[in-house]
Structure formats: C-alpha cells, structure tokens
Amino acid sequence: MPKHLRTALAAAAAAALTGGLLTLSTAPAAAAGSGLQGDFNGDGYRDLAVAAPAATVAGHKNAGAVTVLYGSADGVSAARHATFTQNTAGVPGAAETDDWFGLALSAGDFNSDGYADLAVGAPCEDVSGDTDGGTVQILWGSASGISRAATVPDPAPTKHDSFGNALAAGDFDGDKKADLAVGTTAATLRVLKGGFSTSGVPAAKSAVTLPILSGSDAGIFRLTAGQVNGDGRTDLVVDGFQDTPQGENYYNANYFLPGSSSGPSGSGMRKLPAGLITAIGDTDGDGYGDLVTGVHWDDTVPGSTKGGKVNVIYGSASGPTTRMDTITQETGAVPGNSERGDVFGYGVSLGDIDGDGRQDLAIGSGGEDIDGVTDTGAVTVLRGSASGIDTAHGVQYFHQDVPGVPGTSETSDFFGGEVFLSDVDGDGKADLTVGAGYENDGNGSVVSLPSDGTRIGTTGARSVSPSAVGVPTTGRPQFGAFLAG
C-alpha cells in the first residue's frame, strides 16, 4: 500500500531523461484574462495541473514535473498541454535528485492580471547549503498559457525545512487579491500577501504559530482554503502533527483559521477532528461552506476506522458547527464494504456536477480491491442536497472495469489516489478527474470523466498517460499523484 506522498517521500523514481520537458500549448490566446479559477490561458475554460513529483529529469531521480492540461469545449486531453520541470526554459533553478517538484500545487491569480497562476512546491530542494530547505515557484499564466516562472523568497530561511510542503491560495484578508499560504516542517504557517511582483515577491508577509509539532516528519502536511462563514474572506484548514495532553503522539490534528482583515486568524483558531485531506464547499445550499475530511487510515490512530471514512462538518456564519456526518462504505447506499487497506477518503473533492447550486462529493479509495484485484482503486460520487451529502440517492461508483472508463483494473493502480471536481469543458457543471498515480508500476495516469449535465458519465471519457505529455514512463514518476486548477 503506497503511503501518502506528503507524509512519506519514499516513492521510487523514473529512468533517465535528457533535457527539459517543455511542450508549448496550442491553446488560443485571449485578449485578456478571464479571471476564472484555474484558467491559466484566459480562454474561459478551467485548466488542470497534474503533478508527477517522482519524475526523473536528466538522470535525477525524484526531481519532479508538472503538466498543465488546457481546458476546452471537449474538456482536457493530451492534445493541448505544457509540461514543466526545473530544467525547462523560463523556470528558475535546476532539476536535482529528490527535489520533489510538484509535491504541492495551488492555483490563484497572484499578480491580479486576470490569468490564473500556479504555485508549485519543491519541498526537498537544497537551498544555499540548507539541505531540504525547500522552494516555491509561481508559474505565471498569460494569453499563451504558462510560459515563465519566478521563485518566491522564503521569508524565514534556515528556520525550517521543506518550504512548500503544503500550499493553498485564497483571499484570506478580503482585499480581492490572491494570497498564498505555505507550510513547512515547522509549526509556523507562512502567509504571503497577494499583489506579487513578476519576480515572485509578495506585497507583504505574515506568520501564524500553530499548536503542532515541528521536525523532519512533522510540521504542516496539508492546507485547504475555502469560504466557510460567508464573510467574503477565504478561511483555511491546517493539518499537522500534534501531541495529545497525555504525551501520546497523535498522528495529526486539523485547525480551522478564519480569514480576517490581516489574513488567517490565529486568535480565531479552532481545532477540528483529524484527517489528512480536506475539501471545502457548500453541500446543502445554505450559503456556508462545509468541510469534508478524509480519514483514510484503518483503525490504527485515534478517530479512525477500518477501511477509512469521511467526516462532513457543516458550516455556518460562525464557522464550522458541531453538526457532523460520518460516511463509510457501510453508510446508506455507498458501494463496497469497509475492509482493511481500502483507504476510503484518501482523496476528496467537491464540485457542482448538476448545476443545482450544491456541491457534490467525490471520494477516492485507492486501496479498494475489485473482483480480487488488489489495490486497484475506486471512486464514489455522492450528491449534495438540502440536508447535506446524500448517501442514499444518486450514488455513483467508478473503477477501471466499469464500462466506458478507460483502462483496466490492475494490481496496485491506486485509481482514486487523487480526485478533482472542476468544470474543464465550460458547460457550468463540474467534471471528474481521477488520478491513478501507480498505474503501470508507478508511471501513473489521469482519467477524465465528464458531467453529462446531471451526473458523471463516461461519454467522452479519456485517459492521459505520462508518455503522452513528455513525462518518462521507464520509471515511477507517479503522474496524477496531485491535481489542481
């Protein structure tokens, strides 16, 4: 069973690759940026960033690569893409062994030009003699797509390692500019204020100290941005290690930081139930964002259960409430059974599939066994409703043996290791992209399943392999391990 890359950087790498991996987009230029979330070329379609953080570049294992698949009326495909490494012209630095470029991704318009930009973390890059100091780069959007990048200065070099281990973009202070929250192995959250210069310098910076552990295997693992309390400022969920009062090492803890005029508020911090990955969106149409957190571990840490589970915490004007629903593979009409190693909740994503104003939920269970095939993986899709996530009606279940889904269920594909709901074909309905990071012995792939207007369908479904976008397939690049847009 593969461990989550953000908690165990132990994936095998691909074979040697000479030179950079640049494939210029053929996307049509737009006169001005659309301002649409994830639209890197301003053509009015959301695009998709796909990480292959363990890709080998010019012989350097785990150097990492990131591919942008440009959206269109037909969705995303390999036909319109650009692939970037730190050996690509216009990208600062150089590809090196164990940089893990692409281990964290987040999209936002950081320079307010109407084009979405992409923040990319390389958390194990050595910086000025600081082993694994980490770096963050912004790949700038433009009318011709992403074509240049800048390194974001680390506001506290040598005070931590793995700068860029976690990233989240959002307007945390309500000034209509995208800010960037950055996690490290320290207990301090770094927040870089929007209005970035083209050289990567933020307008200002701040810090929030959290009650979590620091250290090489600790710090901040995951950041999730979204509107919860409806005040016009983006709120933030921070996931990290923490000790319990009894001193027992608690695997992780989540904290809610509401947005404020000065950014994520430490004074308003609130502890949430644990879980490694979170999505935020309004699932019941009440105008407040709900928090969906995957607790994918078996019953080995506090609050977990065999096979994994998902917690849905409902939002309000005062933030997260005490109302919480728990979903497992034993809940309602959810397919499957809770079995050890399923990792149900390893990936979660929210998006409005049918345009009813309520966010629907995709849940990845990359360790699901299908018809005796071990760890091939599956994805469950649940609908939002007036009462929240509906586990009884309209449930959908996808794996690679479902007719119309590209590929075949094979051992250790880990289909559903990453899931992402976003409207990549411009019809106003969220489409589903599934990452299978271990497809074909760790090469990876992404599968696109479009919405038909009412539900996720297979008509027009397609798969994108790493070889189709210039990422080598002779090793284990884990293409599709992380998605953003």
Side-chain angles (χ1 to χ4, degrees), residues 13 310 367 381 431 442 472:
V310 171
V381 178
D431 310 298

Side-chain angles (χ1 to χ4, degrees), residues 365-386:
S365 49
E368 184 78 14
D369 299 347
I370 302 294
D371 295 331
V373 182
T374 305
D375 295 344
T376 188
V379 177
T380 302
V381 178
L382 305 175
R383 313 310 293 269
S385 74

Side-chain angles (χ1 to χ4, degrees), residues 9-294:
L9 307 183
L17 170 73
T18 56
L21 297 176
L22 177 61
T23 304
L24 293 177
S25 164
T26 58
S34 67
L36 185 67
Q37 172 70 24
D39 183 6
F40 302 118
N41 61 359
D43 65 355
Y45 297 100
R46 286 188 65 169
D47 308 314
L48 182 70
V50 182
T56 294
V57 180
H60 299 289
K61 295 181 178 181
N62 305 327
V66 175
T67 297
V68 173
L69 304 176
Y70 289 102
S72 71
D74 295 322
V76 293
S77 72
R80 303 168 69 246
H81 75 273
T83 297
F84 302 91
T85 74
Q86 289 184 288
N87 278 5
T88 299
V91 177
E96 299 165 316
T97 299
D98 293 333
D99 279 350
W100 296 90
F101 179 75
L103 194 69
L105 305 171
S106 191
D109 183 5
F110 300 114
N111 58 0
S112 302
D113 65 354
Y115 298 97
D117 311 305
L118 182 65
V120 180
C124 293
E125 179 156 14
D126 298 343
V127 181
S128 300
D130 181 10
T131 301
D132 295 341
T135 192
V136 174
Q137 294 182 343
I138 296 178
L139 279 60
W140 300 109
S142 72
S144 57
I146 291 175
S147 59
R148 58 194 175 92
T151 298
V152 177
D154 185 342
T158 75
K159 301 297 183 182
H160 53 240
D161 280 329
S162 299
F163 183 65
N165 186 57
L167 300 171
D171 181 11
F172 303 115
D173 56 8
D175 68 352
K176 311 301 181 185
K177 297 178 181 178
D179 312 309
L180 182 63
V182 184
T184 70
T185 55
T188 302
L189 172 73
R190 304 291 170 178
V191 182
L192 309 177
K193 184 174 171 56
F196 283 75
S197 71
T198 55
S199 60
V201 177
K205 54 185 179 290
S206 61
V208 180
T209 300
L210 295 112
I212 61 175
L213 295 177
S214 298
S216 59
D217 292 322
I220 296 171
F221 290 147
R222 183 90 179 191
L223 296 168
T224 304
Q227 295 250 355
V228 176
N229 58 20
D231 67 355
R233 301 185 180 104
T234 305
D235 307 307
L236 189 68
V237 174
V238 181
D239 171 88
F241 261 121
Q242 185 181 38
D243 275 344
T244 66
Q246 294 77 26
E248 179 186 0
N249 186 26
Y250 194 171
Y251 192 77
N252 85 323
N254 285 349
Y255 286 89
F256 172 76
L257 278 64
S260 73
S261 59
S262 59
S265 172
S267 62
M269 186 186 309
R270 190 184 316 177
K271 190 175 182 180
L272 300 173
L276 189 61
I277 181 169
T278 296
I280 299 174
D282 183 6
T283 66
D284 54 9
D286 66 354
Y288 302 108
D290 309 311
L291 299 93
V292 179
T293 300

Side-chain angles (χ1 to χ4, degrees), residues 316-337:
S316 71
S318 57
T321 67
T322 57
R323 177 190 168 202
M324 184 174 79
D325 292 336
T326 296
I327 303 168
T328 72
Q329 290 183 94
E330 310 295 332
T331 304
V334 176
N337 299 292

